[in-house]
Amino acid sequence: FRCVKVGMMNSCHLMKPVSGILVNGRYLTYQQGLPSLPVPPLQQTCERYLSLLEPIVEVHELKRTKQLVEKFLESGGVGEKLQRSLERKAQNTNNWVSLTTALKTDYLDNRLPVVVYSNNSGAFPRMDFRDKQGQIRCAAEIMRAILDFKTMVDNEMLPVDYLGGKPLCMKQYSQMLSSCSIPGLEGDSIVFHSKTSCPSNQFTVAHNSQFFMVDVYNSDGTPMTVHQLCVQLERICNSSLETNTEPVGILTTLNRDYWSKCYDRLVQDQTNKEALLAIQRSICVVCLDKAMPHVPDEMYCRRNALQMMHGGGSQWNSANRWFDKSVQFIIGEDGAFGNNISHSCADGTIAMALIDYVLNSIKKLEIIQSPMVPLPMPQKLHFSITPDIKKAIEEAKESLDKLAQDLDINILLFNHFGKNVLKANKMSSDAFVQMAIQLAYYRVHQQHCPSYEAASMRMFKQGRVCEIPSTSSASVAFATAFDDPKTQKRDLLMKAIKVHKWSTNMEISGQTLFGHFLGLQCQATETNIPMPEIFTDTSFVKAFDYRLATSQVPSNSGCLPCAGPYQLEAYDICYKLLENDMTFVVSAFKTSKENNPAQLNQALEDALLDMRTILEI
């Protein structure tokens, strides 16, 4: 994602070191032995819920909620019935949260646009080219690296991921490529084509908001080489100069109900139906973006992050995307580089593994010449655009531009210290940072809010992510008292960290609080039991109305993880913790007058520095 003769060229074999790749053997070695997700004890979840509410709701609200919880827990009552129903479901499935509740509720049923609200992205340091040839070469190297990664997945030769010495579920790796979300009126669906009887051997390439299908394997089944892929990409670029072609890709930025209606109209035409299916089946999308307006070096990192999140607007690259696709790699003519990932298809850590592999691989390429072979022509996808679809495209441009203008992000490159200092103090780096975020939010807003940190549940079969409650009575006590010189700051910090570590261990070990409640709600709906008052209570709404959504996304390739707020009033914070530094990407919407990413990041930097001083006492 040259100077060569189009249609014929020297084929070559791509050779790269694979030392360390196969150390742990086949990546599904431990898959069958992974445990199924348990159903947490009902009493335990309710007690955790009340503890969660203490720093969030008013006294009279908490009193009423305690009464509702007591009623819910009565012997033979509705809570017990729902719990038994959920336990029966759990006995017949590997993962009752991932398959029936969280994925459906968080992503498939969500009617907001996937761009910004749902998809996440990664922004890389600027590449060292500023022209079309450099862009083509870089894209070809990326495509080849993706094919190598895909080969490892298909041959089940990825190393097994571990957490705390325990093997993790690897299923998402086989679902990340050749998958796509399909819009629906009552909810979206996901199609996985990688394991079908006839999987695609093509990439979708987007250039000037036009889409092409390009073969990426030779007739003997071997992956095309970098030079071969360069030929194919040159062909595409030469045949897709800027035109008045309607930018169909912009439709994937619409809210899901509107896009679903447009999709249903599109597939009534056979040409459209075939084009849409080709994109859905393809391995992934490679977006060849046009150069964005020049910005000073100090502003480039932020601008690049925004380009990866939404394309920069309809006049730039936002239509040069298919946001429903599971994986999109983006290469700009000006050296911009990153990707956009559908969260419904894969979690951030899975996507980051692919990203890290690709970036590390393109640094190690060795080219060996071999005989010339003919190459099949890339096929341009054509769409039949009716007046109502043309109108929808114009409305999509307008709505996307408003969304892009509304999104605000700020990046903090914190180089004062990193995990090394915290390890030296025998402290959880992640919990320490979570408390810094709590302190920063309190200093800016003079109040506390419900917040969570995303964490993996991949110790269980088909595990996805869970929500670790970050706000606790201990974190509130710490943040509230920190600026009082009379308080024992270190003691309060250590208590808050201890609580967060406990909550983390509970969630990743399958004792999910929010997931459990969501499962019980689903059982009430499925069994036609009236929704219990505990779930319609104002306290329940407040408890999970998160205003801070945070996630640590490890990367060893310099990738900057980015995500948008999931709702108008919320912040999203993605961060990386390295040995000697940390990086934070904070996003919010400008129309939320109370939220200011730059101000929060400044407060976060101050909080980290202030908290370090109490470690030295």
Side-chain angles (χ1 to χ4, degrees):
F1 308 22
R2 274 190 189 287
C3 50
V4 292
K5 184 177 179 181
V6 173
M8 202 73 120
M9 65 164 297
N10 285 330
S11 174
C12 53
H13 296 294
L14 185 69
M15 308 294 292
K16 62 181 187 56
V18 293
S19 59
I21 292 296
L22 307 180
V23 170
N24 293 328
R26 293 185 178 274
Y27 86 131
L28 296 180
T29 300
Y30 305 105
Q31 193 70 19
Q32 291 303 314
L34 292 175
S36 298
L37 185 71
V39 178
L42 186 60
Q43 179 79 31
Q44 171 186 284
T45 295
C46 288
E47 289 175 357
R48 288 185 66 197
Y49 173 52
L50 291 176
S51 178
L52 178 71
L53 288 176
E54 286 179 2
I56 294 173
V57 302
E58 301 295 333
V59 174
H60 69 278
E61 292 175 308
L62 182 60
K63 182 179 179 181
R64 169 170 166 74
T65 302
K66 285 180 177 179
Q67 294 171 345
L68 294 177
V69 167
E70 289 176 4
K71 180 181 179 182
F72 187 67
L73 289 173
E74 287 177 354
S75 178
V78 64
E80 188 175 290
K81 291 179 182 178
L82 295 177
Q83 177 76 357
R84 288 177 178 173
S85 178
L86 185 58
E87 288 170 349
R88 285 193 294 271
K89 173 179 283 188
Q91 290 175 354
N92 298 311
T93 183
N94 288 327
N95 197 303
W96 54 272
V97 167
S98 295
L99 296 183
T100 62
T101 54
L103 176 63
K104 187 174 187 297
T105 302
D106 292 346
Y107 302 117
L108 302 183
D109 289 350
N110 192 334
R111 300 294 83 196
L112 291 171
V114 294
V115 58
V116 174
Y117 288 103
S118 175
N119 285 14
N120 50 50
S121 60
F124 292 86
R126 194 171 193 171
M127 305 299 278
D128 60 355
F129 59 83
R130 302 291 181 271
D131 58 15
K132 180 61 71 175
Q133 291 302 323
Q135 178 188 32
I136 288 173
R137 177 72 188 192
C138 179
E141 292 173 346
I142 290 166
M143 292 170 71
R144 178 55 205 245
I146 294 170
L147 290 177
D148 289 343
F149 189 89
K150 181 178 183 296
T151 298
M152 293 171 63
V153 173
D154 292 345
N155 293 336
E156 300 183 2
M157 296 303 289
L158 278 180
V160 177
D161 294 336
Y162 290 86
L163 179 64
K166 295 182 179 180
L168 302 181
C169 179
M170 302 292 286
K171 184 175 182 179
Q172 287 184 60
Y173 285 106
S174 64
Q175 297 179 337
M176 180 166 49
L177 298 174
S178 300
S179 57
C180 193
S181 296
I182 309 296
L185 276 179
E186 295 183 358
D188 294 353
S189 58
I190 308 174
V191 289
F192 301 104
H193 290 284
S194 61
K195 295 296 184 180
T196 57
S197 58
C198 187
S200 175
N201 62 355
Q202 295 179 314
F203 275 38
T204 301
V205 176
H207 183 247
N208 284 329
S209 304
Q210 300 163 59
F211 295 92
F212 293 78
M213 303 309 300
V214 57
D215 289 341
V216 291
Y217 291 95
N218 292 301
S219 58
D220 62 358
T222 59
M224 285 190 181
T225 64
V226 172
H227 282 159
Q228 287 177 304
L229 294 168
C230 281
V231 171
Q232 301 294 65
L233 294 177
E234 256 195 81
R235 286 171 162 177
I236 288 171
C237 291
N238 290 336
S239 62
S240 56
L241 303 177
E242 290 197 62
T243 67
N244 293 325
T245 303
E246 291 295 340
V248 178
I250 199 76
L251 292 173
T252 63
T253 70
L254 286 167
N255 77 68
R256 305 308 288 178
D257 285 336
Y258 195 2
W259 171 214
S260 175
K261 293 174 183 177
C262 294
Y263 182 91
D264 287 345
R265 291 197 292 272
L266 282 170
V267 295
Q268 292 173 15
D269 178 275
Q270 187 62 27
T271 299
N272 294 340
K273 186 175 182 179
E274 292 174 359
L276 291 167
L277 180 59
I279 294 174
Q280 292 161 11
R281 293 185 67 248
S282 66
I283 296 168
C284 70
V285 177
V286 173
C287 308
L288 302 177
D289 276 11
K290 58 185 176 183
M292 297 286 287
H294 176 76
V295 295
D297 289 346
E298 63 271 17
M299 296 176 61
Y300 177 78
C301 192
R302 175 181 181 275
R303 205 281 306 280
N304 189 41
L306 290 171
Q307 182 178 350
M308 300 308 138
M309 292 178 76
H310 54 57
S314 61
Q315 76 276 30
W316 296 108
N317 295 295
S318 294
N320 201 49
R321 302 281 189 276
W322 200 264
F323 284 103
D324 287 357
K325 195 64 180 165
S326 54
V327 176
Q328 298 184 98
F329 273 90
I330 302 156
I331 307 96
E333 193 172 342
D334 53 359
F337 178 32
N339 65 7
N340 191 278
I341 304 291
S342 168
H343 210 323
S344 62
C345 297
D347 296 332
T349 53
I350 303 295
M352 193 58 72
L354 169 62
I355 294 166
D356 285 348
Y357 179 86
V358 166
L359 200 66
N360 290 328
S361 293
I362 64 177
K363 297 175 182 177
K364 304 174 183 177
L365 298 177
E366 297 178 20
I367 305 298
I368 301 175
Q369 297 295 325
S370 60
M372 298 170 64
V373 295
L375 301 175
M377 287 293 294
Q379 300 298 309
K380 182 175 180 178
L381 299 181
H382 296 279
F383 294 89
S384 177
I385 304 300
T386 57
D388 57 338
I389 295 297
K390 181 177 175 61
K391 179 184 177 184
I393 288 173
E394 293 306 311
E395 292 178 4
K397 290 179 183 178
E398 183 179 350
S399 62
L400 184 280
D401 288 342
K402 287 181 180 178
L403 181 60
Q405 291 164 11
D406 194 21
L407 182 65
D408 188 15
I409 71 169
N410 185 268
I411 301 168
L412 170 62
L413 305 176
F414 184 88
N415 55 16
H416 302 282
F417 65 91
K419 292 193 293 186
N420 54 357
V421 168
L422 302 173
K423 287 178 182 178
N425 284 271
K426 299 180 180 179
M427 189 169 295
S428 164
S429 301
D430 185 73
F432 182 91
V433 167
Q434 284 291 321
M435 293 311 108
I437 293 172
Q438 293 282 312
L439 176 57
Y441 185 91
Y442 179 71
R443 283 175 166 177
V444 170
H445 295 280
Q446 291 300 301
Q447 62 181 10
H448 306 281
C449 71
S451 61
Y452 78 88
E453 177 186 4
S456 175
M457 298 186 77
R458 289 174 56 211
M459 285 198 291
F460 302 94
K461 289 179 181 177
Q462 300 174 21
R464 293 293 301 264
V465 293
C466 58
E467 299 170 356
I468 306 166
S470 300
T471 306
S472 65
S473 294
S475 75
V476 167
F478 162 72
T480 303
F482 188 88
D483 291 322
D484 183 349
K486 299 177 182 179
T487 59
Q488 297 294 321
K489 298 179 179 63
R490 185 182 177 92
D491 290 345
L492 290 172
L493 173 60
M494 298 308 294
K495 289 178 182 177
I497 285 177
K498 183 178 180 180
V499 170
H500 189 78
K501 287 176 64 178
W502 180 83
S503 294
T504 299
N505 290 333
M506 289 291 286
E507 292 291 329
I508 65 176
S509 64
Q511 304 301 300
T512 171
L513 192 162
F514 178 68
H516 189 189
F517 274 163
L518 192 57
L520 295 171
Q521 285 180 289
C522 289
Q523 289 308 112
T525 301
E526 292 174 14
T527 55
N528 294 317
I529 293 177
M531 193 61 65
E533 285 185 275
I534 187 177
F535 299 132
T536 59
D537 182 33
T538 55
S539 292
F540 189 82
V541 175
K542 288 185 177 181
F544 303 109
D545 183 20
Y546 299 117
R547 300 306 170 96
L548 268 175
T550 71
S551 55
Q552 181 187 170
V553 187
S555 169
N556 58 26
S557 63
C559 179
L560 195 69
C562 311
Y566 79 101
Q567 65 165 333
L568 177 63
E569 298 84 3
Y571 287 104
D572 187 276
I573 303 178
C574 293
Y575 58 95
K576 291 193 306 180
L577 307 181
L578 301 178
E579 291 301 312
N580 298 303
D581 56 75
M582 312 177 192
T583 303
F584 299 86
V585 182
V586 179
S587 65
F589 289 116
K590 297 173 185 176
T591 46
S592 177
K593 301 302 182 183
E594 295 180 357
N595 290 351
N596 186 318
Q599 187 180 16
L600 185 61
N601 256 342
Q602 182 59 61
L604 182 53
E605 182 173 29
D606 294 340
L608 288 166
L609 291 172
D610 291 345
M611 288 168 62
R612 180 178 180 176
T613 62
I614 67 174
L615 299 183
E616 300 165 352
I617 297 175

